[in-house]
Amino acid sequence: MQGRVAIVTGATRGLGAGFAQALGEAGASIAVAGRDREAADTVVSGLREQGIDCDFFATELTESSDIQKLLERTIDRFGRADVLVNNAGACIHAPALDVTAEDWQHVMDVNLNALWMCCQTIGRHFVQQKHGVIINIGSMSGIIVNRPQWQPAYNASKAAVHQLTRSLAAEWGQFGVRVNALAPGYIKTDMSPVDDPRYRQNWIEDAPLKRYGVVEELAPAVLFLASDASSFVTGSVLVADGGYTVF
């Protein structure tokens, strides 16, 4: 990834920070995009201490004008843009009959609409320059229905992300742009209570590996999809779930 520039959304914590770390360790410069400046300062400082060229760009991803500014500021700062990792996401646990219109719209705005606008805005730049890689962070929830918690909006949004990924790959392959998705299973982050005993049977014991994953195990998959190691891979949804979806 030496000499390449990756834009990572939702990179101020959790999975996004791990993805930025892996891409930076492989030589890429990183545009850290998100809303939490305090959290971003911690991430950026940690990356710079390792000699990784990076910068934070405060971005409201549900605003198309902000996404355009993100692209422009990335190019101004680093001189180019080669990779987009659409990682920002939101989830609301609620049975279908209890999901409010506001809850539904919030999840769709963050998980699908913002991702779509990032794909379209930055994808247009990739198409024009005749190269680029987009990695959309989907979920195994776009393939199965999680239990015991109900999360219909999240599940629907991630299924849409997977199909959008295939659609864009079909359109943009002729322009040298690859588009893939990564579908994680249960990964330990601040937002995922994988250690909660209430969820152990359904989340952990039901998986063939009988454990959750960690960010350090997932990040290399993003690096694979971003790099030339996957140069013949597009339109794919790479599932990394400890085998959860085989049952």
Side-chain angles (χ1 to χ4, degrees):
M1 297 297 295
Q2 195 68 42
R4 300 183 192 181
V5 177
I7 300 170
V8 184
T9 71
T12 59
R13 58 172 52 83
L15 297 183
F19 299 155
Q21 172 82 28
L23 292 166
E25 287 178 349
S29 298
I30 309 297
V32 174
R35 293 182 296 186
D36 190 335
R37 183 172 295 277
E38 184 176 349
D41 287 343
T42 300
V43 171
V44 169
S45 295
L47 293 175
R48 286 177 175 168
E49 286 175 2
Q50 300 170 68
I52 296 171
D53 187 20
C54 63
D55 217 333
F56 170 62
F57 302 118
T59 309
E60 176 49 68
L61 294 169
T62 59
E63 297 291 338
S64 59
S65 59
D66 259 29
I67 297 170
Q68 182 62 41
K69 290 177 185 176
L70 169 62
L71 174 61
E72 292 170 356
R73 293 173 71 190
T74 297
I75 295 173
D76 286 344
R77 168 64 172 80
F78 300 107
R80 58 190 295 158
D82 305 284
V83 176
L84 168 64
V85 181
N86 276 315
N87 167 73
C91 183
I92 293 175
H93 292 170
L97 297 181
D98 295 337
V99 175
T100 67
E102 292 76 17
D103 288 343
W104 177 272
Q105 194 60 54
H106 171 67
V107 172
M108 290 298 168
D109 281 344
V110 176
N111 291 2
L112 183 57
N113 297 336
L115 180 143
W116 157 247
M117 289 189 292
C118 284
C119 282
Q120 188 180 50
T121 298
I122 298 172
R124 179 176 285 111
H125 174 73
F126 289 168
V127 165
Q128 290 171 347
Q129 70 182 7
K130 297 294 192 294
H131 74 84
V133 177
I134 296 175
I135 304 162
N136 295 323
I137 306 304
S139 173
M140 71 173 185
S141 302
I143 303 169
I144 54 96
V145 175
N146 305 72
R147 57 196 177 106
Q149 82 286 8
W150 303 122
Q151 49 189 49
Y154 184 84
N155 298 351
S157 71
K158 292 302 186 178
V161 166
H162 295 174
Q163 191 64 1
L164 176 60
T165 296
R166 298 183 184 100
S167 297
L168 298 180
E171 286 195 43
W172 294 345
Q174 63 182 312
F175 302 110
V177 179
R178 296 190 296 109
V179 188
N180 292 292
L182 177 64
Y186 290 113
I187 308 294
K188 184 178 178 63
T189 66
D190 293 341
M191 297 178 63
S192 184
V194 291
D195 291 318
D196 191 323
R198 294 178 298 169
Y199 301 128
R200 181 165 185 84
Q201 179 59 54
N202 295 124
W203 290 15
I204 308 301
E205 297 299 331
D206 283 353
L209 293 187
K210 298 192 180 301
R211 65 177 180 85
Y212 54 74
V214 295
V215 177
E216 290 78 8
E217 293 179 291
L218 195 62
V222 168
L223 179 57
F224 165 70
L225 292 173
S227 74
D228 291 341
S230 61
S231 58
F232 198 54
V233 180
T234 196
S236 291
V237 179
L238 174 57
V239 180
D241 66 350
Y244 195 96
T245 54
V246 301
F247 294 127

